[in-house]
Amino acid sequence: SSTRSFIHMNDGSRATWQIMHKGKIGHTYHISTNEIISIRELVESICVKLNVEFKNHVDVVGERAGKDSAYQLKSAKLRDEMDWQEEITLDQGLNECISWVTKNLDILKKEVFDYQHKP
């Protein structure tokens, strides 16, 4: 049920650069897209792109203790004052990521994939 606003690293970097050059000293600028998606919806979208069944590849578990339910920043100030907007949609970013992983899959298979969450 957690929701997030995912932003492509190029858009985040471009926003940071604009803030560095055009931002007002002492002001805060939030960098975010306006597209909010749940983690489940994100994984479902990836499954569709990979042509695999969500239910066959995902174990749905409860929320991690202490996990924030949402990360949703408002980037209106950045958009209004600096005429900034994201250029890469989540869909485009996912396609780019899938393409990169597909291209580098043999190298990635050699990596250790034992994830351990560290608080």
Side-chain angles (χ1 to χ4, degrees):
S1 63
S2 296
T3 58
R4 304 283 186 271
S5 169
F6 294 93
I7 188 165
H8 193 279
M9 59 187 264
N10 290 355
D11 285 334
S13 296
R14 195 170 44 77
T16 302
W17 185 260
Q18 279 190 255
I19 293 166
M20 183 176 69
H21 287 280
K22 299 178 182 179
K24 297 175 185 171
I25 294 174
H27 285 234
T28 300
Y29 299 89
H30 296 290
I31 303 169
S32 179
T33 69
N34 290 327
E35 186 177 3
I36 306 300
I37 188 170
S38 72
I39 303 301
R40 182 185 179 111
E41 290 169 322
L42 177 68
V43 175
E44 287 172 343
S45 178
I46 293 168
C47 287
V48 167
K49 291 178 176 298
L50 295 175
N51 199 29
V52 299
E53 289 289 326
F54 177 87
K55 64 182 179 184
N56 295 336
H57 295 277
V58 177
D59 292 327
V60 178
V61 298
E63 299 285 349
R64 179 174 38 85
K67 180 179 174 196
D68 294 328
S69 63
Y71 294 122
Q72 299 174 11
L73 299 173
K74 302 293 183 196
S75 58
K77 184 176 179 180
L78 173 65
R79 293 169 188 280
D80 294 344
E81 289 186 15
M82 297 184 204
D83 197 31
W84 178 89
Q85 65 180 12
E86 64 273 17
E87 295 177 351
I88 303 166
T89 66
L90 177 60
D91 191 60
Q92 291 169 318
L94 289 175
N95 289 338
E96 181 182 302
C97 183
I98 290 169
S99 176
W100 184 90
V101 169
T102 301
K103 180 180 175 183
N104 294 283
L105 191 56
D106 289 336
I107 295 167
L108 293 170
K109 285 180 179 179
K110 296 174 185 173
E111 296 296 321
V112 177
F113 285 104
D114 293 333
Y115 173 78
Q116 293 181 9
H117 180 75
K118 298 177 183 176

